[in-house]
């Protein structure tokens, strides 16, 4: 692999051609860096995930009022724990960004620190959400109680499942950084993961607004 | 091999130096704005700062603002040439999301209006 890539190394491009291709820091022609292409592909996946969440949001918005005589959102939701959940996820998005940045700057010690912080914050989020779900089920407000609760558990549960997958993925990537080092292929995987994590935070903004804040007012 | 890959693999031919588009500062600014928007959402929903029927609209505006902050400061969708494709894809995604959510709410509200027993019928029962 090394031999093959050496032959196509960019220095083969003559200096004049290179300067013609380059306008400032941007290129006027030629292929995009692999990093840009990979991020674009993953971005398309994230958008398709958003479309799936849109369907769940639509289902919730339509069924939120159909409580079938059961408890309403205002009776069930505890805004204090929701606020802590929100802050956990927001801070984890921040530490995730700083971790990705440290990785790009080849600082693996900082990367591990921020990755650990991200993991802890994400785990606290899941813990609070799990406690909330368990409490609701124990009070007889499980997903089978009403259309409102079915759609609530589907929407918020799908987001929670995404967060869980994100945490497993983070551990997997941290192990890759440990064994393989911060080389470009690993950095591209980290980039995809951080896109995924930031996107989950965006979905949570929707959940917070539509489900919790509008649910209690 | 690793050293070679580091130097050349992720660069466009002809581009010598690659600089990360993000900085610690941009994440910190983004976090600050996002926290402000979040707290504002809680305040709007829990106090009578806004005229009551306007609260959902206020919450939606704050949510959209916060999503914008996330896109710019965390996902780094900017005006750079490498963002163009991502922004076009995002625009398409946003259209689909609004069609699905807005369309569902609209259609079901219409159905509820037209198929539920009307107020007159309900009053007759009493």
């Amino acid at each position: 692999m090394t031999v093959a890539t050496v032959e196509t190394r960019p220095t083969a491009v003559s200096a004049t051609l290179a300067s013609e291709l380059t306008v400032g820091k941007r290129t006027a022609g030629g292929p995009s860096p692999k990093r840009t292409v990979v991020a674009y592909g993953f971005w398309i996946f994230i958008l398709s995930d958003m479309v799936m969440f849109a369907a769940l949001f639509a289902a919730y918005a339509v069924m939120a009022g159909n409580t079938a005589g059961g408890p309403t959102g205002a009776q069930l939701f505890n805004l204090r724990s929701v606020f802590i959940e929100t802050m956990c996820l927001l801070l984890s998005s921040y530490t995730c960004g700083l971790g990705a940045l440290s990785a790009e700057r080849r600082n693996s010690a900082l990367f591990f620190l921020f990755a650990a912080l991200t993991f802890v914050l994400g785990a606290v989020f899941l813990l609070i959400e799990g406690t909330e779900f368990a409490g609701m089920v124990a009070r007889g407000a499980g997903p089978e109680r009403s259309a409102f609760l079915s759609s609530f558990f589907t929407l918020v549960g799908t987001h929670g499942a995404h967060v869980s997958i994100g945490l497993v993925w983070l551990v997997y990537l941290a192990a890759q950084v440990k064994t393989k080092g911060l080389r470009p292929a690993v950095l591209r995987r980290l980039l995809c993961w951080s896109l995924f994590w930031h996107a989950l935070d965006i979905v949570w903004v929707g959940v917070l607004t539509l489900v919790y804040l509008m649910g209690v007012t | 091999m690793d050293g070679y890959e580091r130097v050349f693999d992720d660069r466009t031919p002809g581009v010598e130096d690659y600089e990360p588009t993000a900085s610690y500062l941009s994440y910190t600014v983004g976090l600050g704005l996002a926290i402000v928007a979040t707290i504002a959402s809680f305040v709007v929903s829990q106090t009578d700062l806004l005229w009551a029927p306007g609260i959902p609209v206020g919450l939606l505006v704050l949510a959209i603002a916060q999503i914008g902050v996330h896109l710019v400061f965390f996902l780094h969708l900017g005006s750079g040439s490498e963002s163009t494709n991502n922004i076009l894809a995002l625009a398409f995604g946003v259209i689909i999301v609004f069609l699905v959510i807005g369309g569902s709410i609209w259609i079901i509200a219409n159905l509820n209006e037209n198929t539920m027993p009307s107020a007159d019928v309900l009053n007759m029962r009493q």
Side-chain angles (χ1 to χ4, degrees):
Chain A
M1 181 216 163
T2 316
V3 177
T5 44
V6 163
E7 280 164 4
T8 57
R9 55 190 291 169
T11 42
V13 180
S14 73
T16 47
L17 182 56
S19 65
E20 274 168 21
L21 286 172
T22 309
V23 181
K25 288 265 159 39
R26 293 175 197 159
T27 51
S32 287
K34 208 167 181 177
R35 188 189 154 75
T36 307
V37 177
V38 167
Y40 180 61
F42 198 76
W43 185 234
I44 300 286
F45 160 73
I46 286 178
L47 289 171
S48 68
D49 217 26
M50 293 294 143
V51 171
M52 184 202 71
F53 270 111
L56 298 180
F57 272 114
Y60 179 83
V62 163
M63 302 206 271
N66 303 350
T67 53
T72 63
Q75 291 160 356
L76 290 170
F77 301 149
N78 173 4
L79 275 195
R80 179 168 297 169
S81 64
V82 171
F83 183 76
I84 299 172
E85 277 180 278
T86 307
M87 284 302 150
C88 280
L89 212 56
L90 197 52
L91 283 173
S92 85
S93 216
Y94 178 64
T95 54
C96 152
L98 297 190
L101 203 55
S102 313
E104 264 179 43
R105 296 180 178 178
R106 320 284 174 187
N107 190 337
S108 58
L110 262 185
F111 164 75
F112 283 120
L113 172 71
F114 285 128
L117 278 174
T118 310
F119 185 90
V120 169
L121 288 165
V124 169
F125 170 86
L126 280 179
L127 197 70
I128 299 173
E129 185 163 87
T131 315
E132 187 197 359
F133 280 9
M136 285 170 72
V137 172
R139 288 168 62 184
E144 75 283 357
R145 181 62 188 83
S146 63
F148 153 64
L149 284 164
S150 301
S151 56
F152 167 82
F153 276 97
T154 310
L155 172 60
V156 184
T158 306
H159 177 269
H162 275 72
V163 174
S164 313
I165 293 168
L167 288 185
V168 174
W169 191 3
L170 173 61
V171 172
Y172 174 64
L173 283 180
Q176 286 201 356
V177 173
K178 184 82 185 156
T179 53
K180 298 183 175 182
L182 289 168
R183 57 190 191 199
V186 176
L187 284 180
R188 285 194 294 271
R189 287 165 208 157
L190 275 174
L191 176 68
C192 291
W193 176 78
S194 68
L195 287 177
F196 182 75
W197 198 253
H198 292 314
L200 285 185
D201 208 8
I202 291 182
V203 174
W204 182 256
V205 174
V207 172
L208 170 71
T209 303
L210 188 77
V211 177
Y212 290 106
L213 294 179
M214 288 189 181
V216 296
T217 45
Chain B
M1 174 204 160
D2 209 37
Y4 168 78
E5 217 191 344
R6 266 185 201 174
V7 177
F8 292 109
D9 190 45
D10 263 9
R11 282 160 190 62
T12 308
V15 176
E16 290 297 321
D17 51 341
Y18 164 75
E19 54 183 271
T21 46
S23 69
Y24 290 105
L25 181 67
S26 94
Y27 282 108
T28 310
V29 171
L31 177 72
L33 290 173
I35 286 180
V36 168
T38 302
I39 291 177
S41 299
F42 274 90
V43 168
V44 163
S45 78
Q46 291 305 294
T47 63
D48 49 5
L49 191 69
L50 284 189
W51 179 55
I55 286 178
V57 178
L59 289 175
L60 272 184
V61 168
L62 282 168
I64 290 171
Q66 190 175 350
I67 288 171
V69 167
H70 282 249
L71 287 174
V72 171
F73 292 97
F74 290 165
L75 287 161
H76 313 299
L77 281 182
S79 53
S81 60
E82 68 282 358
S83 299
T84 313
N85 287 326
N86 294 16
I87 288 173
L88 279 175
L90 174 69
F92 179 67
V94 169
I95 290 174
I96 301 293
V97 165
F98 274 90
L99 278 180
V100 169
I101 298 179
S104 300
I105 293 173
W106 187 12
I107 290 167
I108 300 295
N110 243 302
L111 279 175
N112 279 343
E113 186 125 322
N114 293 327
T115 55
M116 289 285 172
S118 69
D120 297 338
V121 179
L122 287 176
N123 286 337
M124 277 198 300
R125 279 197 213 143
Q126 289 166 0

